[in-house]
Amino acid sequence: MSEKDTDNTLTQNDLDRYEEWSHPIQDFTQIVPADSGGVYRVQTTSGTKYLRVLESSPIERIDKILQSDTLFGFPPSKLLRGSPPILMMDEAPGRPLSRVYPIVTVPLFWWYFGPNIRIANERLGTYLGRLHRETIAEVRPIQETSFEKYRTNMDGIERVLDDALVSQLHSVANRLDGVELTAGIVHGDPTPHNLFYRNGDLTLIDFSLDPDAVVRDVINAERGIELMIGRLPHGRSSQRETLVDAFRTGYQEAYPAFQRPEKFNHLQCLSDAYLLSLQLDQSFDKPGAKIAQRTDVKLLADRLRSALR
């Protein structure tokens, strides 16, 4: 989905133009951006709603997904038809897994909560597998996927990787030029901060529902688990393996026909290098964010060294 420019603030008058908007906004509340993108949080008399402005998205396809009886893990959502259309979502229950993992991975808590967290990651695999299985027939194999962007955007990685490794990455990128990948509708960012957990249930938020290579979601989901657990001083490799295996089990059961591309490891390296470049380019003021950035840079660099050995 293209996100609305945050300089063009969404207002109550904007919402009143939509016939399907029937949620009076409480007095003394304000529509404010929920993040730095195009998602807005609105406090109404019937609860909190999240709105995303859809500038150039496949509206019919999104509507079909939202109307489907198949469970994809999204919060209750509906389209507000107009110009531009707006996706309205209920607030996700629970807490993001990015806040749950630091607690449940403590050894004593892991013994008690670990099985439920494993089930939650299996559900993540199930939801993404269903979404991809149900939509691949509508999207032809495509060459212009996110991986094309990754191939040409690895600036700055030489700051943490030696010349031989950088050269190897560029060689990998060249070998993937024009590769065709199975495409469907993807979540886009199925990482722990977008996965809300409560009592064993999982809700997926901040989904893009754009056509792209389905392997993008697979790579992002698995890496999200590994980076999140890797950030924690008490996180263990056995926990990462347990949760990644759970995700893979759920995904394969929901989408049995899926086969990892022959060049899966190369695609993963491109994605990691692109994310590493983004991390190196960012600047944070908060100490916690700086620590997470440094840890992620180290983890991503180590993943690339291990994959390209």
Side-chain angles (χ1 to χ4, degrees):
M1 293 177 192
S2 297
E3 296 174 342
K4 182 171 180 172
D5 186 340
T6 53
D7 291 336
N8 299 324
T9 305
L10 194 62
T11 68
Q12 182 168 356
N13 287 336
D14 292 332
L15 292 174
D16 288 341
R17 293 187 289 106
Y18 292 82
E19 292 183 7
E20 293 157 306
W21 176 259
S22 58
H23 302 276
I25 297 175
Q26 289 179 338
D27 292 339
F28 309 111
T29 59
Q30 181 183 11
I31 300 175
V32 295
D35 60 14
S36 59
V39 180
Y40 293 82
R41 183 192 301 113
V42 185
Q43 189 64 39
T44 75
T45 53
S46 57
T48 301
K49 305 292 181 183
Y50 286 83
L51 308 175
R52 184 188 288 275
V53 178
L54 311 178
E55 295 286 2
S56 59
S57 301
I59 305 304
E60 295 78 10
R61 186 178 294 137
I62 291 173
D63 195 34
K64 182 179 178 181
I65 291 171
L66 295 180
Q67 298 299 324
S68 172
D69 291 332
T70 304
L71 296 178
F72 299 119
F74 303 144
S77 309
K78 70 180 296 186
L79 278 173
L80 305 181
R81 297 181 180 278
S83 181
I86 294 175
L87 178 64
M88 179 176 70
M89 300 158 281
D90 285 359
E91 187 171 27
R95 305 173 67 192
L97 281 178
S98 56
R99 296 185 181 178
V100 173
Y101 281 153
I103 300 170
V104 300
T105 49
V106 172
L108 181 60
F109 291 156
W110 179 254
W111 177 83
Y112 186 78
F113 293 108
N116 287 338
I117 300 302
R118 187 191 186 285
I119 292 171
N121 278 276
E122 188 170 335
R123 280 198 180 137
L124 171 61
T126 298
Y127 290 147
L128 293 181
R130 286 174 182 167
L131 178 64
H132 298 161
R133 183 195 68 209
E134 294 293 319
T135 60
I136 55 170
E138 301 178 21
V139 182
R140 292 184 176 182
I142 53 178
Q143 294 180 345
E144 293 299 320
T145 67
S146 291
F147 293 94
E148 286 301 300
K149 175 177 66 177
Y150 302 160
R151 288 180 60 248
T152 56
N153 288 273
M154 293 186 285
D155 296 341
I157 61 174
E158 66 278 358
R159 289 160 53 188
V160 292
L161 300 176
D162 61 44
D163 291 344
L165 207 59
V166 172
S167 175
Q168 205 171 344
L169 275 168
H170 285 294
S171 177
V172 165
N174 291 334
R175 289 200 294 273
L176 291 173
D177 184 17
V179 64
E180 283 195 349
L181 299 170
T182 300
I185 301 302
V186 300
H187 177 287
D189 189 19
T191 49
H193 60 282
N194 287 330
L195 309 172
F196 275 63
Y197 173 83
R198 186 176 73 173
N199 298 331
D201 290 331
L202 199 66
T203 304
L204 284 59
I205 68 164
D206 204 17
F207 41 90
S208 70
L209 300 185
D210 286 329
D212 204 344
V214 297
V215 71
R216 172 189 170 193
D217 270 352
V218 174
I219 289 173
N220 285 347
E222 293 183 3
R223 181 178 58 216
I225 295 168
E226 294 183 4
L227 291 184
M228 189 66 237
I229 304 300
R231 287 179 187 172
L232 305 174
H234 55 272
R236 293 177 294 173
S237 60
S238 60
Q239 293 170 330
R240 295 198 303 270
E241 292 166 3
T242 294
L243 299 182
V244 169
D245 285 346
F247 167 78
R248 291 175 178 174
T249 296
Y251 189 87
Q252 202 67 49
E253 288 179 355
Y255 183 9
F258 175 75
Q259 293 183 344
R260 295 194 170 218
E262 182 181 351
K263 298 184 182 295
F264 179 86
N265 287 343
H266 287 170
L267 294 167
Q268 181 175 272
C269 285
L270 275 192
S271 181
D272 284 356
Y274 175 72
L275 183 57
L276 177 60
S277 176
L278 292 181
Q279 288 282 357
L280 290 167
D281 191 48
Q282 290 181 347
S283 177
F284 297 101
D285 295 326
K286 294 181 179 180
K290 287 183 177 179
I291 293 172
Q293 180 190 33
R294 285 199 298 268
T295 305
D296 283 356
V297 165
K298 181 181 184 304
L299 290 169
L300 287 165
D302 287 346
R303 276 167 58 95
L304 286 166
R305 292 187 189 102
S306 176
L308 294 172
R309 274 192 307 208

